[in-house]
């Protein structure tokens, strides 16, 4: 149009400008995992939000994704940890590690983003900080699924249970 004109609807649905963000239900995990299932196949980005997550032991917190079931192989990437004791980088293959040096007293806070790059290939990146030893961790990696992603899980690399904190996901 030109200056001074007004757009008038013809009765059709209004145009959409981006996608709506959907929030799942916050979980306070007290078992070995927090599972989010039923994620729509049209989702292109998921943000995992954690606040004060802690485990009962030293098993490292880890994020797993899946199509029909949670997958625990063929992840590519690494987590880099920096704290007062120095720096470390650890490769992962069984899920997206949040840290490689957990203690039972550490509370973790942060956001991890999963983005669909193409088809069933997902890229992960995130930053997590810990309440003890001034710990900060950065992770990135990727995972190719056998089908459309429909689930996200926070679990551990061992049999520890979660004993504090909350987790939720938002997706679009």
């Amino acid at each position: 149009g030109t200056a001074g004109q007004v757009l008038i609807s013809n009765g059709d649905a209004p145009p959409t400008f981006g996608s709506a963000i959907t929030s799942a239900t916050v979980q306070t995990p007290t078992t070995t995992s927090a599972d989010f299932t039923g994620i729509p196949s049209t989702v292109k980005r998921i943000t995992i939000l954690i606040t004060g997550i802690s485990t009962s032991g030293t098993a490292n917190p880890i994020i797993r994704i899946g199509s029909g079931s949670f997958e625990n192989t063929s992840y590519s990437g690494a987590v880099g940890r920096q704290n007062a004791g120095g720096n470390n980088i650890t490769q992962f293959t069984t899920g997206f590690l949040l840290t490689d040096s957990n203690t039972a007293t550490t509370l973790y806070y942060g956001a991890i983003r999963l983005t669909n790059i193409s088809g069933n290939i997902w890229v992960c990146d995130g930053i997590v900080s810990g309440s003890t030893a001034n710990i900060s961790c950065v992770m990135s990696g990727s995972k190719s699924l056998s089908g459309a992603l429909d689930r996200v899980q926070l679990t551990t690399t061992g049999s520890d249970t979660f004993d504090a904190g909350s987790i939720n996901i938002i997706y679009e």
Side-chain angles (χ1 to χ4, degrees):
T2 58
Q5 291 183 330
V6 176
L7 178 64
I8 299 174
S9 172
N10 65 1
D12 291 339
T16 58
F17 300 99
S19 57
I21 296 176
T22 302
S23 178
T25 301
V26 174
Q27 294 186 35
T28 303
T30 57
T31 61
T32 57
S33 71
D35 301 347
F36 296 91
T37 59
I39 298 169
S41 62
T42 56
V43 167
K44 298 297 181 194
R45 183 173 34 218
I46 301 168
T47 303
I48 303 157
L49 306 165
I50 61 170
T51 182
I53 288 291
S54 174
T55 64
S56 60
T58 59
N60 295 318
I62 192 168
I63 298 290
R64 291 197 174 123
I65 60 177
S67 176
S69 63
F70 295 108
E71 297 186 19
N72 61 5
T73 61
S74 301
Y75 291 79
S76 298
V79 60
R81 174 182 41 85
Q82 181 177 18
N83 65 5
N87 304 318
N88 193 51
I89 297 176
T90 301
Q91 299 291 315
F92 51 69
T93 59
T94 61
F96 302 116
L97 275 176
L98 274 61
T99 183
D100 67 340
S101 182
N102 185 35
T103 66
T105 59
T106 301
L107 303 175
Y108 292 97
Y109 304 86
I112 301 98
R113 181 178 50 209
L114 299 166
T115 306
N116 179 255
I117 189 168
S118 175
N120 297 319
I121 302 170
W122 289 82
V123 173
C124 173
D125 67 292
I127 299 174
V128 177
S129 63
S131 63
T132 58
N134 299 321
I135 189 171
S136 179
C137 300
V138 176
M139 83 280 300
S140 64
S142 68
K143 170 73 173 140
S144 180
L145 295 172
S146 57
L149 183 147
D150 67 354
R151 60 196 62 227
V152 172
Q153 177 185 64
L154 172 68
T155 188
T156 68
T157 55
S159 59
D160 294 346
T161 58
F162 290 98
D163 56 11
S166 299
I167 179 173
N168 200 5
I169 64 169
I170 56 174
Y171 54 86
E172 51 191 308

